Amino acid sequence: EAQVTQNPRYLITVTGKKLTVTCSQNMNHEYMSWYRQDPGLGLRQIYYSMNVEVTDKGDVPEGYKVSRKEKRNFPLILESPSPNQTSLYFCASSSSGTGYEQYFGPGTRLTVT
Amino acid sequence: AQSVTQPDIHITVSEGASLELRCNYSYGATPYLFWYVQSPGQGLQLLLKYFSGDTLVQGIKGFEAEFKRSQSSFNLRKPSVHWSDAAEYFCAVAVVNKLVFGAGTILRVKS
C-alpha cells in the first residue's frame, strides 16, 4: 500500500529537549515536505526536499532542521524545542513537485511544555 | 504573494442539504488547485484537483468543484450532505515547491 508514515504520532516533551520526528514514504517520490498546522492558519511549509541531499527552507523554518540522506526518509529535527512549536505536523511526498498530488502522512501532534 | 482565502471559518448545514464551500486564490499563473478534507484526528485526504481542461471537476465522496478564472475562485460543492461529511476542509494552490493552504472551513452537519 502506497503511504507516508510518521513517528511518533503523539509526543509531549519539555523545552530544550532535542527531538526527531521521522517520515518515510514507499512510493519512490523525489519530493518531500514538512508542514505545520495551527488553528486559523491552515498548513504552512517548514522545509522541503527536491531529492537526496537537496533541501531548502519553506515559509516557517526557524527552529527546525531536516536532512535527506535517503530518498524514502525525511526526518524533522527540533534541536531545542520551544512552546511555540506546539503544533500538528504533517509530512508529504510527491513524484513531481507541487504540480502533482501530494500524499500526506497521518500527522504528529507535538506538545512542548 | 500567493494566497488562498476561505471566507467561512465555520459552516453548519442540515443533513441532506446542499453544500458550497468558498475558496478564492491569488496566483499570477495558471493555478493547480486542490481541495483536501481532514476528519477529526485524521490526516489530509485529497478530495479533488484542478490542473487544466474542464473547469468542473469531480472528486471522491460525491464532491465537485468549479474553477472560475474570472473570479479567482474554486468553490467546492456537494448536492446532499451526509453526517459523515463533518470535517475541516482546506483549499490549496500549488506554487513553486509547495502548497499554499487556506485557513480551512469547519463543516458541521446537523441531523
Side-chain angles (χ1 to χ4, degrees), chain A residues 78-93:
Chain A
L78 286 72
E79 294 208 324
S80 184
S82 63
N84 64 12
Q85 292 178 298
T86 293
S87 188
L88 180 58
Y89 291 86
F90 288 100
C91 181
S93 73

Side-chain angles (χ1 to χ4, degrees), chain A residues 9-10 31 33 35 37 40-43 45 48 50 59 88 90 98-102 104-107, chain B residues 32 34 36 38 41-46 49 51 88 90 94-104:
Chain A
R9 293 289 311 280
Y10 302 91
Y31 175 92
S33 183
Y35 294 84
Q37 182 184 1
L41 297 176
L43 283 80
Q45 190 187 57
Y48 67 94
M50 298 298 290
D59 294 322
L88 180 58
F90 288 100
T98 57
Y100 297 85
E101 177 181 349
Q102 290 199 32
F104 283 84
Chain B
Y32 291 168
F34 304 82
Y36 285 86
Q38 184 180 29
Q42 303 297 311
L44 290 162
Q45 182 180 24
L46 180 69
K49 59 193 174 189
F51 287 170
E88 188 163 17
F90 293 95
V95 302
V96 178
N97 296 321
K98 67 182 177 186
L99 291 176
V100 174
F101 285 85

Side-chain angles (χ1 to χ4, degrees), chain B residues 46-94:
Chain B
L46 180 69
L47 284 176
L48 47 79
K49 59 193 174 189
Y50 171 78
F51 287 170
S52 64
D54 193 347
T55 56
L56 185 64
V57 293
Q58 303 297 320
I60 62 171
K61 304 185 179 186
F63 285 92
E64 66 178 26
E66 186 171 14
F67 170 61
K68 293 185 177 180
R69 184 186 300 275
S70 62
Q71 298 178 20
S72 297
S73 69
F74 188 55
N75 294 347
L76 182 71
R77 301 194 293 248
K78 186 170 185 178
S80 178
V81 169
H82 188 263
W83 64 265
S84 61
D85 293 323
E88 188 163 17
Y89 292 79
F90 293 95
C91 181
V93 63

Side-chain angles (χ1 to χ4, degrees), chain A:
Chain A
E1 178 189 358
Q3 61 182 352
V4 179
T5 57
Q6 295 178 227
N7 283 292
R9 293 289 311 280
Y10 302 91
L11 180 60
I12 301 174
T13 190
V14 296
T15 299
K17 185 176 181 182
K18 182 179 179 179
L19 65 92
T20 299
V21 183
T22 64
C23 172
S24 183
Q25 50 94 4
N26 62 2
M27 295 167 280
N28 201 37
H29 286 167
E30 296 83 15
Y31 175 92
M32 297 185 74
S33 183
W34 278 101
Y35 294 84
R36 61 177 288 174
Q37 182 184 1
D38 301 292
L41 297 176
L43 283 80
R44 294 174 293 166
Q45 190 187 57
I46 302 170
Y47 267 95
Y48 67 94
S49 169
M50 298 298 290
N51 214 322
V52 175
E53 302 292 359
V54 181
T55 64
D56 207 348
K57 297 177 181 179
D59 294 322
V60 288
E62 293 77 20
Y64 304 95
K65 286 178 57 177
V66 293
S67 68
R68 189 89 180 274
K69 293 183 171 55
E70 304 169 283
K71 197 172 186 179
R72 64 183 293 126
N73 296 323
F74 190 45
L76 179 69
I77 304 157
L78 286 72
E79 294 208 324
S80 184
S82 63
N84 64 12
Q85 292 178 298
T86 293
S87 188
L88 180 58
Y89 291 86
F90 288 100
C91 181
S93 73
S94 168
S95 63
S96 300
T98 57
Y100 297 85
E101 177 181 349
Q102 290 199 32
Y103 294 80
F104 283 84
T108 295
R109 184 164 293 282
L110 172 65
T111 302
V112 184
T113 62

